[in-house]
């Protein structure tokens, strides 16, 4: 509200005078907002430049202040209007989806009300690759082996979605949530041989599914080795002819497993 009055200073013929006060209410104007995005479409993780142009009313001052950008419930960031009334935000945080509404909200200033403008933007999912490794490889039968799957993308770390491991085409365990681009699963091979290990990534709203079915990872399982040691001793030594002598044979296994071991020892002639 602005008080307005007129004051006449007077002249040679008339004295000075002052009018009554009139209170003039000047309301804030509502600016128009135009929003553009470039490039469009993009893939998830790719940078997008958002421009919000806040236009003044005819004859009014240039708008000042802040513009906030959102897509759906996702907050993208804020930008300050320059002297031309343009706010610029570069973001790679728009999730994947077709025809999503990007909203630019001008927060207003002393002359202008808040207002919004919109545009649409399409983001496609980003491709992934899945690779598998095992440790240790080769391994021994009936020992624990760690299966590991790494999910990679052009934009960096993949989060979300699940991985299902398979051994020779048969699933083992259940789906495992991807965090930090990797998952691991401990598995015990109960027989020797070569095994094809695959991992299938499910994908999610931002990343495409992938697997290594075309190039399975080869894991080798070996039999547990044995490491037998044999020692012999006799007592007494020397011994007189016709007297008894005791032979002691000791068998030790320095490996991990041994079964059905037959020991043959030939005694010297009398």
């Amino acid at each position: 509200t602005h008080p307005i009055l007129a004051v006449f200073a007077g002249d040679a013929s008339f004295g000075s005078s002052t009018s009554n006060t009139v209170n003039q209410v000047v309301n804030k104007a509502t600016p128009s907002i135009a929003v553009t995005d470039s490039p469009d479409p993009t893939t998830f993780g790719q940078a997008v430049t958002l421009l919000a142009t806040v236009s003044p009313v005819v004859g009014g001052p240039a708008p000042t202040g802040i513009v906030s950008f959102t897509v759906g419930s996702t907050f993208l960031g804020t930008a300050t209007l320059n002297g031309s009334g343009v706010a610029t935000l570069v973001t790679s945080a728009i999730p994947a989806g077709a025809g999503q509404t990007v909203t630019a909200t001008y927060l207003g200033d002393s002359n202008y009300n808040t207002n919004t403008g919109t545009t649409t933007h399409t983001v496609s999912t980003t491709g992934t690759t899945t690779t598998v490794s095992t440790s240790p490889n080769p391994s021994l039968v009936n020992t624990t082996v760690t299966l590991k799957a790494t999910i990679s993308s052009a934009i960096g770390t993949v989060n979300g979605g699940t991985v299902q491991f398979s051994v020779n085409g048969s699933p083992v365990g259940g789906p495992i949530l991807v965090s930090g681009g990797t998952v691991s699963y401990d598995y015990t091979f109960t027989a020797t041989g070569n095994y094809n290990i695959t991992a299938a990534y499910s994908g999610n709203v931002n990343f495409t599914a992938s697997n290594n079915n075309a190039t399975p990872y080869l894991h080798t399982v070996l039999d547990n080795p044995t490491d037998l040691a044999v020692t012999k001793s006799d007592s007494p030594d020397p011994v007189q002819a016709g007297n008894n002598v005791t032979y002691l044979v000791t068998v030790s296994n320095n490996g991990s497993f041994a079964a059905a071991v037959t020991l043959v020892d030939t005694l010297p002639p009398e």
Side-chain angles (χ1 to χ4, degrees), residues 7 15 18 45 53 71 77 92 95 115 121 132 157 178 181 203 228-230:
V7 176
T18 301
T53 302
V71 55
S92 57
N115 199 11
H121 187 82
V132 172
T157 303
V178 177
L228 298 180
V230 178

PDB file of all heavy atoms in Angstrom, residues 7 15 18 45 53 71 77 92 95 115 121 132 157 178 181 203 228-230:
ATOM      1  N   VAL A   7       0.499  18.108  -3.596  1.00  0.00           N
ATOM      2  CA  VAL A   7       0.837  19.332  -2.868  1.00  0.00           C
ATOM      3  C   VAL A   7       1.012  20.459  -3.889  1.00  0.00           C
ATOM      4  O   VAL A   7       1.826  20.344  -4.821  1.00  0.00           O
ATOM      5  CB  VAL A   7       2.128  19.154  -2.055  1.00  0.00           C
ATOM      6  CG1 VAL A   7       2.511  20.470  -1.376  1.00  0.00           C
ATOM      7  CG2 VAL A   7       1.961  18.046  -1.017  1.00  0.00           C
ATOM      8  N   GLY A  15      -2.769  30.583  -2.835  1.00  0.00           N
ATOM      9  CA  GLY A  15      -1.952  30.041  -1.760  1.00  0.00           C
ATOM     10  C   GLY A  15      -1.701  28.540  -1.958  1.00  0.00           C
ATOM     11  O   GLY A  15      -2.341  27.893  -2.786  1.00  0.00           O
ATOM     12  N   THR A  18      -2.762  21.244   0.064  1.00  0.00           N
ATOM     13  CA  THR A  18      -2.421  19.815   0.013  1.00  0.00           C
ATOM     14  C   THR A  18      -3.703  19.010  -0.089  1.00  0.00           C
ATOM     15  O   THR A  18      -4.670  19.267   0.647  1.00  0.00           O
ATOM     16  CB  THR A  18      -1.642  19.371   1.259  1.00  0.00           C
ATOM     17  OG1 THR A  18      -0.439  20.143   1.364  1.00  0.00           O
ATOM     18  CG2 THR A  18      -1.285  17.887   1.190  1.00  0.00           C
ATOM     19  N   GLY A  45      21.569 -41.028 -16.282  1.00  0.00           N
ATOM     20  CA  GLY A  45      22.915 -40.622 -15.920  1.00  0.00           C
ATOM     21  C   GLY A  45      23.506 -39.573 -16.833  1.00  0.00           C
ATOM     22  O   GLY A  45      24.550 -38.992 -16.513  1.00  0.00           O
ATOM     23  N   THR A  53      12.907 -19.551 -18.092  1.00  0.00           N
ATOM     24  CA  THR A  53      12.903 -18.111 -18.406  1.00  0.00           C
ATOM     25  C   THR A  53      11.680 -17.479 -17.762  1.00  0.00           C
ATOM     26  O   THR A  53      10.534 -17.831 -18.099  1.00  0.00           O
ATOM     27  CB  THR A  53      12.883 -17.881 -19.924  1.00  0.00           C
ATOM     28  OG1 THR A  53      14.022 -18.518 -20.513  1.00  0.00           O
ATOM     29  CG2 THR A  53      12.919 -16.393 -20.237  1.00  0.00           C
ATOM     30  N   VAL A  71      11.114 -33.195 -10.870  1.00  0.00           N
ATOM     31  CA  VAL A  71      10.439 -34.089 -11.808  1.00  0.00           C
ATOM     32  C   VAL A  71       9.695 -35.103 -10.959  1.00  0.00           C
ATOM     33  O   VAL A  71      10.295 -35.870 -10.211  1.00  0.00           O
ATOM     34  CB  VAL A  71      11.425 -34.757 -12.788  1.00  0.00           C
ATOM     35  CG1 VAL A  71      12.534 -35.489 -12.065  1.00  0.00           C
ATOM     36  CG2 VAL A  71      10.688 -35.696 -13.736  1.00  0.00           C
ATOM     37  N   GLY A  77      17.147 -29.637  -8.013  1.00  0.00           N
ATOM     38  CA  GLY A  77      18.063 -28.585  -7.583  1.00  0.00           C
ATOM     39  C   GLY A  77      17.452 -27.211  -7.793  1.00  0.00           C
ATOM     40  O   GLY A  77      16.300 -27.082  -8.242  1.00  0.00           O
ATOM     41  N   SER A  92      21.950 -34.648 -13.848  1.00  0.00           N
ATOM     42  CA  SER A  92      21.884 -36.010 -14.372  1.00  0.00           C
ATOM     43  C   SER A  92      21.013 -36.878 -13.468  1.00  0.00           C
ATOM     44  O   SER A  92      21.100 -38.103 -13.504  1.00  0.00           O
ATOM     45  CB  SER A  92      23.291 -36.607 -14.473  1.00  0.00           C
ATOM     46  OG  SER A  92      23.941 -36.589 -13.212  1.00  0.00           O
ATOM     47  N   PRO A  95      15.251 -39.538 -13.307  1.00  0.00           N
ATOM     48  CA  PRO A  95      15.158 -40.999 -13.438  1.00  0.00           C
ATOM     49  C   PRO A  95      14.644 -41.400 -14.812  1.00  0.00           C
ATOM     50  O   PRO A  95      14.104 -40.569 -15.560  1.00  0.00           O
ATOM     51  CB  PRO A  95      14.172 -41.381 -12.327  1.00  0.00           C
ATOM     52  CG  PRO A  95      13.357 -40.153 -12.111  1.00  0.00           C
ATOM     53  CD  PRO A  95      14.262 -38.994 -12.360  1.00  0.00           C
ATOM     54  N   ASN A 115       5.284 -18.751  -9.382  1.00  0.00           N
ATOM     55  CA  ASN A 115       4.562 -19.352 -10.499  1.00  0.00           C
ATOM     56  C   ASN A 115       5.361 -20.552 -10.999  1.00  0.00           C
ATOM     57  O   ASN A 115       6.530 -20.728 -10.634  1.00  0.00           O
ATOM     58  CB  ASN A 115       4.352 -18.339 -11.628  1.00  0.00           C
ATOM     59  CG  ASN A 115       3.225 -18.775 -12.574  1.00  0.00           C
ATOM     60  OD1 ASN A 115       2.476 -19.706 -12.279  1.00  0.00           O
ATOM     61  ND2 ASN A 115       3.113 -18.100 -13.714  1.00  0.00           N
ATOM     62  N   HIS A 121      10.277 -34.545 -20.476  1.00  0.00           N
ATOM     63  CA  HIS A 121      11.604 -35.077 -20.803  1.00  0.00           C
ATOM     64  C   HIS A 121      11.573 -36.598 -20.718  1.00  0.00           C
ATOM     65  O   HIS A 121      10.971 -37.170 -19.806  1.00  0.00           O
ATOM     66  CB  HIS A 121      12.660 -34.529 -19.836  1.00  0.00           C
ATOM     67  CG  HIS A 121      14.055 -34.906 -20.219  1.00  0.00           C
ATOM     68  ND1 HIS A 121      14.770 -34.210 -21.166  1.00  0.00           N
ATOM     69  CD2 HIS A 121      14.867 -35.906 -19.799  1.00  0.00           C
ATOM     70  CE1 HIS A 121      15.959 -34.762 -21.313  1.00  0.00           C
ATOM     71  NE2 HIS A 121      16.047 -35.803 -20.493  1.00  0.00           N
ATOM     72  N   VAL A 132      31.556 -62.382 -14.221  1.00  0.00           N
ATOM     73  CA  VAL A 132      31.588 -63.312 -13.083  1.00  0.00           C
ATOM     74  C   VAL A 132      33.022 -63.717 -12.795  1.00  0.00           C
ATOM     75  O   VAL A 132      33.849 -63.850 -13.710  1.00  0.00           O
ATOM     76  CB  VAL A 132      30.737 -64.564 -13.382  1.00  0.00           C
ATOM     77  CG1 VAL A 132      30.905 -65.628 -12.298  1.00  0.00           C
ATOM     78  CG2 VAL A 132      29.268 -64.188 -13.526  1.00  0.00           C
ATOM     79  N   THR A 157      28.741 -46.731 -11.037  1.00  0.00           N
ATOM     80  CA  THR A 157      28.225 -47.754 -10.118  1.00  0.00           C
ATOM     81  C   THR A 157      26.741 -48.030 -10.333  1.00  0.00           C
ATOM     82  O   THR A 157      25.941 -47.112 -10.476  1.00  0.00           O
ATOM     83  CB  THR A 157      28.465 -47.324  -8.666  1.00  0.00           C
ATOM     84  OG1 THR A 157      29.851 -47.097  -8.467  1.00  0.00           O
ATOM     85  CG2 THR A 157      27.997 -48.407  -7.702  1.00  0.00           C
ATOM     86  N   VAL A 178      21.669 -55.959  -5.581  1.00  0.00           N
ATOM     87  CA  VAL A 178      22.924 -55.335  -6.007  1.00  0.00           C
ATOM     88  C   VAL A 178      23.147 -54.038  -5.233  1.00  0.00           C
ATOM     89  O   VAL A 178      22.271 -53.173  -5.184  1.00  0.00           O
ATOM     90  CB  VAL A 178      22.916 -55.036  -7.516  1.00  0.00           C
ATOM     91  CG1 VAL A 178      24.198 -54.308  -7.933  1.00  0.00           C
ATOM     92  CG2 VAL A 178      22.753 -56.322  -8.304  1.00  0.00           C
ATOM     93  N   GLY A 181      27.411 -52.154  -7.139  1.00  0.00           N
ATOM     94  CA  GLY A 181      27.795 -52.779  -8.397  1.00  0.00           C
ATOM     95  C   GLY A 181      28.243 -54.219  -8.303  1.00  0.00           C
ATOM     96  O   GLY A 181      28.602 -54.815  -9.334  1.00  0.00           O
ATOM     97  N   GLY A 203      18.071 -55.979 -13.754  1.00  0.00           N
ATOM     98  CA  GLY A 203      17.801 -54.607 -14.152  1.00  0.00           C
ATOM     99  C   GLY A 203      16.823 -53.945 -13.194  1.00  0.00           C
ATOM    100  O   GLY A 203      16.267 -54.581 -12.286  1.00  0.00           O
ATOM    101  N   LEU A 228      50.947 -88.398   1.970  1.00  0.00           N
ATOM    102  CA  LEU A 228      51.276 -89.391   2.981  1.00  0.00           C
ATOM    103  C   LEU A 228      52.781 -89.439   3.234  1.00  0.00           C
ATOM    104  O   LEU A 228      53.591 -89.372   2.302  1.00  0.00           O
ATOM    105  CB  LEU A 228      50.799 -90.772   2.537  1.00  0.00           C
ATOM    106  CG  LEU A 228      49.286 -90.933   2.328  1.00  0.00           C
ATOM    107  CD1 LEU A 228      48.981 -92.358   1.896  1.00  0.00           C
ATOM    108  CD2 LEU A 228      48.524 -90.576   3.593  1.00  0.00           C
ATOM    109  N   ALA A 229      53.118 -89.553   4.508  1.00  0.00           N
ATOM    110  CA  ALA A 229      54.519 -89.724   4.905  1.00  0.00           C
ATOM    111  C   ALA A 229      54.640 -91.026   5.706  1.00  0.00           C
ATOM    112  O   ALA A 229      53.793 -91.320   6.564  1.00  0.00           O
ATOM    113  CB  ALA A 229      54.983 -88.543   5.741  1.00  0.00           C
ATOM    114  N   VAL A 230      55.664 -91.838   5.417  1.00  0.00           N
ATOM    115  CA  VAL A 230      55.860 -93.130   6.086  1.00  0.00           C
ATOM    116  C   VAL A 230      57.236 -93.126   6.744  1.00  0.00           C
ATOM    117  O   VAL A 230      58.244 -92.813   6.098  1.00  0.00           O
ATOM    118  CB  VAL A 230      55.760 -94.300   5.099  1.00  0.00           C
ATOM    119  CG1 VAL A 230      56.008 -95.628   5.817  1.00  0.00           C
ATOM    120  CG2 VAL A 230      54.404 -94.298   4.411  1.00  0.00           C
TER     121      VAL A 230
END
